[in-house]
């Protein structure tokens, strides 16, 4: 019994010793935290004394010199309304006709994507209008792009997915000009409303390029690389591959989907078990109206199966024959659609 009591007393002393160490550690931690809070308070007081907030530019400036020492951390986001199917096709038709009549028209220079920017060529892709924004809202967006703020632009797709890009940040320049248009059937050129261009000219990785708004009758229509998806980003399958950057195709393995993913042709071929075809020599699928409206592949005739010749840059293109037939030749069975 005496032995048991002695062991209990020893255990109690051991617990007391551990408790004292724990209390000492907590006291030290509290002291360190108090010093940290004091340092933060002093730094905040000094910063408040020497700087001021500019509400107009949402920046922090030195009181003595006016030098900007910081910007807002989060950007405001504006949403672009996607064009309805019929409106988009009408806009696409108008742009295609203008480019065919005058391939080097200055107002459409930003639409020519590819290896050559000086002339139309088979390597190029055309950036068509995909969305719109009310002109009054665009002017609000433009006013916020003062060289210091961050402003984002968001596109929303039919399945609820979104794609957000930064349209304004320090270094982005904005240009506004009247748009010229040649009257149909005449050699007369007139100014129509305005074109607003956002461009970051600094060199950086993963830069998409220009964002262009062509404004008329209170609406501004979007085009340019900023509004096209990079690899892995969403795209509307009804738009063919128009929503994707040059070299990418809007792909899904289910033709009933409304939204696909921007995908390289080499991956499309791998997904469709045709990887033996050289992805550098062929493109997607398009409707050939010259021989009975069939879906053919964008490649030199005879190069591979179903090649129908190289398409024009403004021709709608689909990642697979199934998507081409489903969107462009619904009145035909698949066997009759593909040539």
């Amino acid at each position: 019994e005496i032995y048991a009591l002695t062991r209990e007393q020893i255990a109690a002393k051991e617990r007391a010793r551990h408790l004292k160490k724990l209390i000492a550690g907590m006291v030290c931690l509290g002291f360190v935290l108090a010093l940290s809070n004091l340092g933060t308070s002093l730094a905040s007081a000094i910063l408040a004394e020497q700087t001021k907030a500019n509400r107009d530019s949402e920046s922090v400036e030195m009181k003595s010199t006016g030098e900007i020492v910081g910007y807002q951390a989060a950007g405001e986001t504006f949403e672009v309304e996607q064009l309805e199917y019929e409106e988009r096709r009408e806009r696409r038709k108008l742009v295609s006709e203008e480019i065919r009549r005058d391939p080097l028209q200055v107002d459409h220079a930003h639409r020519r994507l590819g290896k050559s920017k000086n002339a139309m060529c088979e390597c190029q892709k055309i950036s068509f209008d995909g969305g719109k924004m009310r002109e009054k809202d665009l002017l609000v967006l433009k006013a916020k792009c003062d060289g210091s703020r961050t402003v984002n632009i968001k596109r929303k797709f039919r399945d609820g997915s979104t794609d957000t890009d930064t349209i304004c940040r320090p270094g982005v320049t904005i240009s506004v000009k009247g748009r010229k248009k040649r009257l149909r059937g005449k050699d007369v050129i007139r100014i129509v409303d305005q074109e607003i261009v956002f461009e970051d000219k600094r060199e950086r990785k993963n830069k998409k390029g220009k964002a262009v708004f062509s404004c008329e009758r209170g609406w501004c229509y979007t085009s340019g690389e900023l509004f096209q998806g990079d690899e892995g980003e969403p795209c509307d399958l009804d738009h063919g591959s128009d929503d994707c950057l040059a070299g990418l195709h809007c792909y899904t393995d289910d033709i009933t989907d409304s939204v696909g993913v921007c995908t390289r042709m080499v991956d499309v071929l791998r997904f469709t078990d045709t990887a033996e075809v050289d992805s550098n020599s062929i493109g997607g699928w398009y409707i050939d109206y010259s021989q009975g409206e069939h879906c053919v592949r964008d490649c030199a005739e005879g190069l591979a199966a179903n090649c129908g010749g190289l398409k024009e840059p403004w021709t709608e293109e689909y990642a697979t024959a199934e998507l081409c037939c489903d969107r462009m030749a619904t009145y035909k069975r698949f066997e009759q659609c593909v040539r």
Side-chain angles (χ1 to χ4, degrees):
E1 185 177 347
I2 294 175
Y3 177 73
L5 289 173
T6 302
R7 288 192 61 183
E8 186 177 340
Q9 288 180 353
I10 293 174
K13 289 182 179 180
E14 189 70 24
R15 287 195 297 271
R17 187 162 56 251
H18 285 307
L19 184 60
K20 288 180 180 179
K21 290 181 180 179
L22 180 61
I23 292 173
M26 295 295 292
V27 170
C28 290
L29 179 61
F31 182 71
V32 172
L33 290 175
L35 287 178
S36 176
N37 288 335
L38 178 61
T40 301
S41 299
L42 289 174
S44 298
I46 295 172
L47 186 63
E49 181 68 25
Q50 297 181 354
T51 61
K52 65 179 180 179
N54 187 323
R55 293 186 177 182
D56 293 330
S57 63
E58 299 183 17
S59 61
V60 179
E61 302 174 353
M62 296 294 295
K63 288 182 178 179
S64 57
T65 63
E67 180 184 359
I68 296 176
V69 295
Y71 301 99
Q72 63 172 12
E76 187 171 352
T77 299
F78 289 77
E79 186 168 334
V80 167
E81 179 182 334
Q82 293 294 87
L83 295 181
E84 295 293 336
Y85 181 76
E86 292 300 331
E87 184 178 18
R88 175 192 159 274
R89 293 200 67 82
E90 182 61 27
R91 295 285 306 177
R92 196 183 199 284
K93 181 181 178 181
L94 290 173
V95 170
S96 296
E97 289 177 352
E98 290 184 6
I99 292 178
R100 275 196 291 263
R101 286 199 302 269
D102 187 1
L104 300 181
Q105 186 181 135
V106 175
D107 290 333
H108 291 312
H110 70 277
R111 298 184 185 274
R112 299 194 291 270
L113 313 176
K115 299 176 183 177
S116 172
K117 296 183 178 179
N118 298 319
M120 297 303 299
C121 69
E122 295 157 348
C123 63
Q124 288 185 324
K125 181 174 183 176
I126 303 298
S127 170
F128 290 97
D129 300 338
K132 65 181 180 180
M133 191 175 190
R134 289 196 177 276
E135 189 169 7
K136 61 179 182 180
D137 295 330
L138 177 61
L139 294 178
V140 172
L141 185 157
K142 176 176 172 289
K144 291 181 178 294
C145 296
D146 57 5
S148 61
R149 304 190 205 193
T150 298
V151 181
N152 302 315
I153 200 83
K154 180 172 73 173
R155 296 180 296 150
K156 187 174 182 179
F157 295 86
R158 288 182 291 163
D159 67 347
S161 59
T162 60
D163 181 38
T164 303
D165 287 293
T166 299
I167 190 171
C168 289
R169 57 163 61 88
V172 170
T173 60
I174 304 173
S175 58
V176 181
K177 63 178 181 179
R179 293 177 59 240
K180 298 178 181 180
K181 184 176 182 180
R182 188 183 299 277
L183 297 181
R184 183 172 297 183
K186 300 180 180 180
D187 291 329
V188 179
I189 297 177
R190 64 182 177 86
I191 302 295
V192 291
D193 297 314
Q194 63 179 351
E195 183 176 88
I196 302 178
V197 181
F198 298 77
E199 183 177 13
D200 190 345
K201 296 183 178 180
R202 299 176 303 170
E203 290 294 332
R204 71 177 192 276
K205 293 181 179 180
N206 301 321
K207 188 175 81 170
K208 280 192 175 181
K210 295 180 180 179
V212 181
F213 294 82
S214 302
C215 302
E216 51 187 72
R217 297 187 294 277
W219 286 96
C220 297
Y221 297 89
T222 63
S223 60
E225 286 182 306
L226 187 73
F227 296 106
Q228 293 183 292
D230 208 339
E231 185 175 3
E233 293 182 345
C235 50
D236 193 316
L237 290 165
D238 284 349
H239 298 175
S241 295
D242 286 355
D243 287 348
C244 300
L245 288 168
L248 299 175
H249 301 265
C250 191
Y251 172 75
T252 180
D253 59 0
D254 186 350
I255 61 174
T256 63
D257 289 342
S258 60
V259 176
V261 176
C262 293
T263 309
R264 293 180 302 158
M265 179 52 66
V266 63
D267 292 324
V268 173
L269 296 175
R270 180 165 54 85
F271 296 149
T272 55
D273 295 326
T274 51
E276 70 278 0
V277 180
D278 183 7
S279 61
N280 295 316
S281 302
I282 65 172
W285 294 75
Y286 67 95
I287 280 282
D288 182 5
Y289 292 98
S290 64
Q291 298 184 33
E293 300 183 6
H294 296 283
C295 278
V296 297
R297 193 184 284 279
D298 179 26
C299 48
E301 292 191 59
L303 182 64
N306 309 113
C307 287
L310 299 177
K311 69 176 185 62
E312 297 289 352
W314 47 78
T315 303
E316 286 185 276
E317 184 180 24
Y318 293 82
T320 65
E322 289 79 8
L323 286 169
C324 178
C325 292
D326 183 72
R327 263 58 179 189
M328 300 296 291
T330 55
Y331 50 91
K332 290 185 175 184
R333 295 198 306 273
F334 182 76
E335 296 76 13
Q336 298 173 325
C337 169
V338 177
R339 191 185 73 196

